[in-house]
Amino acid sequence: MVTFIIRRVLYSIPVLFAASVLIFSAVTVVGDPLAELKQNPRFSRVTVDRIIERKHLDDPIPVQYAYWAREVVTDRFGTPLLQPGDQIWNDLKRVIPHTLQLVLLSEIFALFIGIGIGVYSAIRQYSVFDYAATTFSFVGFALPVFWLALMLQILFTNAFLKWDVRIFYTSGLNSADTTCTFCVDRLQHLAIPAMTLCVLSIAQYGRFMRASMLEVVNSDYVRTARAKGLPEQSVTLRHALRNALIPLVTVVALNFGALIGGAVITETIFGLDGMGPYFINNLLSQDVYPVMAWLMVTATAIVTFNLLADVAYAYIDPRIRYD
Amino acid sequence: MHRGHFRLLLGVMVAAMSLAIAGAAGGAPQRANAGSVVFGAEQEPPCLNGALAGCNNTWTSWTAGVALASLYIVKPDFSIGPYMANGPARVTDRSPFTLLVRIKPRARWSDGRQVTVADINFTWQARINPQNEVASRSGWDSIRRIVAVNSKTARIIFSKPYAGWKALLVDSIYPSHALTGTNFNEVWNNNYNNKAGATMASGPMKLQSYTRGQTLVMVRNTTFWGKRPSIDRITFRFITNTDSEIQAIRGGEVDAIYPQPQLQLAALRGQSGLRTQSRAGTTLEHIDINIGAGNSNPLLGQRWFRQAIAYSMDRRAMVRQLFRTLNPNLPVLQNNMYTSNQREYAGHFQRYTRNLSRVNALFRARNCTKGSDGIFVCAGQRASVRFGTTSGNRLRELALEILQAQAKAAGIEFRPDSEPSRLFFPRLAEKKFDLALYAWVGTGDPAGWIDIYGCGGESNYKNYCNRTVTSLLSRSDQSLVPKTRASLVNRADSIMATDVPVIPLYQKPTYFVYKTKLRGLVDNPTLQGPTWNTEFWTTS
């Protein structure tokens, strides 16, 4: 297993290198990042020339890539286009934990409910609950995230206006006079974004769990366990569920990696200082360096969680061994 | 019910009740005390040194920038008058052009040091230093030197007459004693601290804290030289999504917002407990017409054709359609260089109302006939042009659709040619367009329009060259008498109203929403913004 992990880590290096080349090429071809500034007659040409010189923007593309790659490795992604006094890594260090907190909260919630729904649907196949859960899953898949986010904001705002009771907040990470990370205030601010994010995950995990459980509950060893006289709850939870969880672990691990960079809409709507708004704001201001850093971090997260998925798979299922 | 299920259900209920109780406790407005305001800021300053290119964002000056006072201020009526300056500056010499500026005797920094000529000097040097990545040197690079008559009186000597000197004095003044010897590109990115770590301010509020991505807190500057602010604290919360801003102010999470005008904001008008103010702003939406190389239709080089385009448009109906729910009184812009709020404004483009008879007459006089598709053809050339704007900007896209339909009925075809701004503006600069709908952001001062409308101007993308207009604008930039200056600019605009290289549309309106218990808030549609008078804010 250790050999496998080391080998996968070494394989990741050329993968990330290729990703960096692709990212740089894709971002560079979209055009001159200073185009809009140059169009402004009041913007200082002296400053434009300084930025071009500082960021080597008039060098050939491969040379620009080399400078950027050096900054990525030796200067932790370097500085943004227009703010030589800032470090991109400081911003990433700030926003990544916020996104992790949101994603963790929503995934825990989604797993809890999704697994429950999936298991019960499988046990009570073709029951009213099963049909209701199936319907909910399809609705969950189809619901646009931005619409759901807005609806939930309106719902809880109207609740506050009607009853003067603040259940959850509709934007931000904290209230105006608080900056705590692990507190009720933070939970109240993350609740609605987490709900928004987890609807799709609940639908996905519920369906997955149901299919996986159905496959397992009809298998021979489960029948044997019942025949031995074990209580149904013990058969379901101890024997069937554990084996049914194996494919779900893979899905969850991959989902988690994707969500690190994928909660863009949710975080932007709720004004959360996470990876999403960081990406959007820099994209809109055409600052390519934070955008490229964001893409590299997301690529790294996906590669890492792919590896974690494989390791978790091997850990849960002793039949699986990696050389 | 199974015991395990019961325990689970009980746990969920307890958790929900705890949140509700905590929420009820936190349901009260989020203010430390009654003299505080929570302001929803639609953009976060990229950094706090507003002079730098990377920080040059209106919200930088509207939030932390309140701490740094300027010698002059732009008022809501677009007039520019003294603020930290002790009375109007005097022109003491015309050759070389020299200004005498006095600083208020009581003006001082929050560390107790006086605001002096040394600070004006430092600000000038910081602006023109080629090592500093400042956003604009315009005006500052026209200063030859600054002489201190005394510590509070400066003689500013220009290398050439600079008519826009008032707008120059609206820039924030920086403290020389706190910043000398520092790297201007890096200092004050995240705070306004002096070398001892204490926050610096010369304005009514000073920066207390800045939590990136979340809040920026300003507190009362007890050493402020002007009227003592009543408000203890202003907390700016960064809420970048307009819909979230709307819910935040409805739900009492913020006390005021100043969003970009979006159609959904109409829901806030008439809501109890909220007040709205909306004025015509300084963003001048207009249509550039490319009359030279780069256009796809040689008819655009003909004045009569451009006039026909202008006569095909019902700009009043378009403005009403776009803004009837937000600002039903928003006027059509009829001048390219002055805003409708300004005294100097003259409506030279008023003649261009929708007039299909006029359009027909212009075409028929050149023996043009309508094709089977209803579009005029002139000597084999169809009256069909590209018309683009920045895609994704809903208001502009709607405006384009409305004008397209109006033009079609008049016999002129507008072919959609929109792109995202990162592609649209470079193409504009390369002059590869026919009609382009976008905006210039004015300052209220007409200095600098020669770059846009003068022959060979750096930002003259439409290939327009009228020597008389160029001469008038050039003379206005050097004219020091306001009335003469206004007359020169208006004469230039009047000529452009005949040449029609550009069609003004409207000034994008501002939208200020705040709770009725806040008093003293006055929308300032200029670049000064909604926080221009925080010292007069109170809560009832």
Side-chain angles (χ1 to χ4, degrees), chain A residues 175-231:
Chain A
S175 300
D177 47 10
T178 327
T179 52
C180 62
T181 306
F182 300 105
C183 55
V184 173
D185 183 72
R186 177 61 68 94
L187 204 59
Q188 284 179 291
H189 280 82
L190 288 183
I192 304 179
M195 276 186 236
T196 307
L197 215 49
C198 77
V199 164
L200 180 60
S201 296
I202 290 173
Q204 190 181 12
Y205 298 157
R207 296 306 296 165
F208 228 91
M209 204 60 223
R210 181 184 181 275
S212 194
M213 276 296 288
L214 283 173
E215 207 178 299
V216 165
V217 294
N218 297 318
S219 55
D220 292 342
Y221 65 89
V222 170
R223 198 178 305 118
T224 305
R226 284 201 188 97
K228 279 159 57 176
L230 290 171

Side-chain angles (χ1 to χ4, degrees), chain B residues 478-526:
Chain B
Q478 294 172 48
S479 168
L480 303 172
V481 179
K483 272 199 178 129
T484 308
R485 201 168 170 224
S487 168
L488 290 167
V489 170
N490 273 322
R491 275 168 60 192
D493 192 64
S494 175
I495 295 171
M496 285 167 58
T498 305
D499 288 345
V500 197
V502 58
I503 302 173
L505 294 179
Y506 59 88
Q507 296 160 245
K508 197 157 75 168
T510 59
Y511 210 74
F512 197 5
V513 187
Y514 52 93
K515 290 188 177 168
T516 50
K517 54 187 162 189
L518 294 177
R519 299 265 190 264
L521 278 64
V522 176
D523 180 18
N524 189 330
T526 72

Side-chain angles (χ1 to χ4, degrees), chain B residues 438-455:
Chain B
Y438 64 106
W440 292 116
V441 180
T443 61
D445 188 283
W449 288 117
I450 193 169
D451 277 334
I452 296 167
Y453 299 119
C455 296

Side-chain angles (χ1 to χ4, degrees), chain A residues 49-201:
Chain A
D49 292 339
R50 261 199 70 84
I51 295 169
I52 290 172
E53 187 193 346
R54 178 164 56 80
K55 286 298 191 181
H56 312 282
L57 294 177
D58 51 359
D59 285 344
I61 301 291
V63 174
Q64 286 187 44
Y65 172 78
Y67 278 116
W68 174 69
R70 186 181 72 177
E71 273 188 353
V72 169
V73 174
T74 63
D75 197 20
R76 293 175 294 181
F77 296 107
T79 61
L81 185 68
L82 299 179
Q83 291 122 36
D86 278 352
Q87 286 287 320
I88 291 174
W89 182 242
N90 289 344
D91 288 330
L92 286 171
K93 251 189 339 182
R94 186 189 83 242
V95 302
I96 289 173
H98 295 153
T99 299
L100 276 176
Q101 195 176 25
L102 169 66
V103 168
L104 210 59
L105 190 65
S106 81
E107 285 296 281
I108 289 171
F109 200 61
L111 277 170
F112 198 63
I113 296 181
I115 291 174
I117 289 175
V119 168
Y120 200 76
S121 294
I123 295 170
R124 298 280 182 267
Q125 197 181 8
Y126 304 130
S127 66
V128 171
F129 180 88
D130 186 25
Y131 286 126
T134 303
T135 307
F136 169 79
S137 297
F138 288 136
V139 170
F141 282 127
L143 269 181
V145 167
F146 63 87
W147 179 86
L148 179 63
L150 294 173
M151 289 299 109
L152 288 173
Q153 281 183 322
I154 293 171
L155 179 72
F156 285 99
T157 302
N158 288 347
F160 170 73
L161 289 172
K162 195 173 170 68
W163 294 304
D164 201 28
V165 170
R166 178 85 66 199
I167 306 171
F168 301 127
Y169 291 96
T170 62
S171 59
L173 283 171
N174 287 104
S175 300
D177 47 10
T178 327
T179 52
C180 62
T181 306
F182 300 105
C183 55
V184 173
D185 183 72
R186 177 61 68 94
L187 204 59
Q188 284 179 291
H189 280 82
L190 288 183
I192 304 179
M195 276 186 236
T196 307
L197 215 49
C198 77
V199 164
L200 180 60
S201 296

